[in-house]
Amino acid sequence: MKEVMIIANPSSGKKQAEEFAVRAQSVFKENGRTADIKITEKEADIGKFAREACEEKYEIIVALGGDGTVSGLGDALKDEPYRPKIGIIPTGTVNNIARGLGISTDMAQAVEDLAHCVDKKADAGLVNDRLFLSSISAGSIPETVWEVSKESKERFGSLAYFFEGIRSLKEDETFEVELTVDGKTSQHNLSLLLIGLSNSIAGIPNFFKDATYNDGQLYLFGLEESTLGEKITAMTSLFRDDEDNTDDENKGFVWNFKEATIKSSHDGHVALDGEKGPAFPLDIKVLPSIFTFLVPENMN
C-alpha cells in the first residue's frame, strides 16, 4: 500500500495550488509519510488520478481545489471497491464541502492541520448517477453559480456570487415541480429548490441547522412563489431557532429525506456543487457513510 497522493488543480485558488501541494508534501514527510504530487491539466485528470490511487491502494488522497474538484474526486471514487481516505486543502471560492466538514478554509491552516487529523465518515448524494457532496439547486438564483466566470471569481471571490444573485432576483421566475419524497407526492410552484447534505450551503453556516455529514439524510429547501419581502422572510427563518419555516404564511419549507424523484417544467439544468449539473427529471438518494474524510481532530 502506498501512502499519500496529492492532487492539485492549478486553476483554483489564484494559482496557489501547486505551492500548497509542496507544503503539504513537506508536512507529510515531517510526519514520516511519503506523498506523491499529481498536477491536473484538464478536468478528466481528477478521475484518472483518483482511479490510479484506488488501483495502487494509496491510503490517502489529498485534493487541492474548490468544491468542483472535491466533488469530481468523489464522483470518480464512488464505484471503486477500494476508496482511500480523503483530505481537503480548499483553494476554491466558496469551499462549502470543507466548511461543512469543519476543515479550515485558510489554505495554510488546512495544510498544518493535516498533521493532526482524525477520520470522519461522511454521506454523499447521488442524482441521476452523478455524485454530489454539497448541494444541488434549481431556479434563477442557483443558475448564477455556474454562470459566474473564472475571472469574476478570482477578482471578487465569493462576492461574485452575491452580485449575480442580486441581479437574478430581478429576473426571478417560478417553475412547477412534482416532488415524490420518501414515497409521498406533492405539487409546488417554486422559485428556488435546494437539496444539501450538511448544515453549510453556499458558504452559509447553519443553512440546514439540524444537518450533519453523517446523519444518513438529505435536506430539501423549497421556496414557493412569493414577493421579494416574502422571500427574505422565508430565507431568514432558516437561521432562527423557532419554527417559522413551517408556518402556513411562510413561503419556505424544509424536509429531510433519503430518496426523492423530482419532475419539473423547468427546462434548465440544476447547479451541482457549484457547477452545471443534470436536467430534470431527477432521481436522488443519499449514500450513507460512503467516504472517510480527514478532519482536524478538534472537529470530529
Side-chain angles (χ1 to χ4, degrees):
M1 176 180 285
K2 295 191 176 182
E3 294 189 287
V4 183
M5 177 185 287
I6 300 171
I7 302 176
N9 177 3
S11 66
S12 182
K14 298 183 179 180
K15 313 300 186 289
Q16 294 179 294
E18 293 184 56
E19 172 192 342
F20 280 92
V22 173
R23 291 196 194 184
Q25 186 183 47
S26 297
V27 168
F28 282 115
K29 185 177 180 180
E30 290 168 4
N31 286 270
R33 291 178 177 266
T34 301
D36 302 321
I37 296 176
K38 306 285 186 179
I39 305 297
T40 64
E41 296 180 357
K42 53 186 181 298
E43 186 176 347
D45 287 344
I46 298 169
K48 181 183 75 173
F49 294 144
R51 288 185 289 274
E52 179 184 323
C54 294
E55 290 170 4
E56 299 187 18
K57 296 291 193 296
Y58 275 82
E59 181 185 355
I60 296 168
I61 297 177
V62 176
L64 284 92
D67 289 331
T69 299
V70 179
S71 182
L73 173 63
D75 192 62
L77 294 175
K78 69 179 187 297
D79 295 322
E80 295 291 335
Y82 170 81
R83 289 186 288 269
K85 299 175 184 180
I86 302 171
I88 302 174
I89 300 173
T91 63
T93 305
V94 178
N95 302 307
N96 194 72
I97 299 169
R99 291 176 190 272
L101 289 164
I103 295 169
S104 174
T105 56
D106 178 271
M107 287 185 279
Q109 185 63 53
V111 169
E112 184 178 323
D113 286 343
L114 287 172
H116 308 286
C117 278
V118 294
D119 296 351
K120 182 181 181 69
K121 290 289 186 181
D123 307 331
L126 193 69
V127 53
N128 295 3
D129 295 323
R130 285 185 61 179
L131 182 135
F132 63 98
L133 281 165
S134 176
S135 64
I136 56 175
S137 50
S140 57
I141 297 174
E143 285 171 0
T144 65
V145 171
W146 46 267
E147 290 176 353
V148 173
S149 68
K150 288 185 178 180
E151 291 77 14
S152 292
K153 291 179 186 179
E154 290 191 0
R155 183 176 180 184
F156 299 113
S158 59
L159 284 176
Y161 297 118
F162 175 78
F163 295 149
E164 290 295 327
I166 292 298
R167 179 182 64 80
S168 70
L169 281 175
K170 300 176 182 178
E171 305 166 2
D172 188 29
E173 296 180 359
T174 59
F175 52 99
E176 296 178 356
V177 174
E178 180 184 277
L179 301 176
T180 302
V181 178
D182 286 339
K184 297 180 180 179
T185 300
S186 57
Q187 308 287 335
H188 303 269
N189 197 29
L190 302 180
S191 59
L192 172 63
L193 173 68
L194 193 151
I195 295 169
L197 280 151
S198 76
N199 63 345
S200 179
I201 299 294
I204 302 171
N206 297 319
F207 190 99
F208 292 125
K209 55 180 175 290
D210 296 326
T212 65
Y213 254 120
N214 56 1
D215 62 8
Q217 300 279 340
L218 294 168
Y219 292 78
L220 181 151
F221 172 68
L223 183 59
E224 304 274 7
E225 183 175 11
S226 50
T227 65
L228 178 58
E230 288 171 332
K231 287 182 176 67
I232 293 171
T233 297
M235 296 298 289
T236 55
S237 70
L238 287 168
F239 314 121
R240 295 199 295 262
D241 291 331
D242 55 31
E243 298 299 323
D244 282 354
N245 61 335
T246 62
D247 192 301
D248 289 341
E249 295 182 3
N250 195 299
K251 299 296 184 177
F253 58 92
V254 174
W255 299 337
N256 60 299
F257 69 99
K258 295 181 183 295
E259 294 189 18
T261 297
I262 304 176
K263 301 176 183 178
S264 177
S265 62
H266 186 61
D267 58 3
H269 291 250
V270 298
L272 184 154
D273 288 349
E275 306 290 340
K276 188 175 182 178
F280 290 95
L282 307 176
D283 289 312
I284 305 167
K285 66 178 180 179
V286 67
L287 302 176
S289 299
I290 185 173
F291 296 121
T292 301
F293 283 91
L294 300 180
V295 302
E297 55 188 356
N298 60 341
M299 295 303 300
N300 191 40

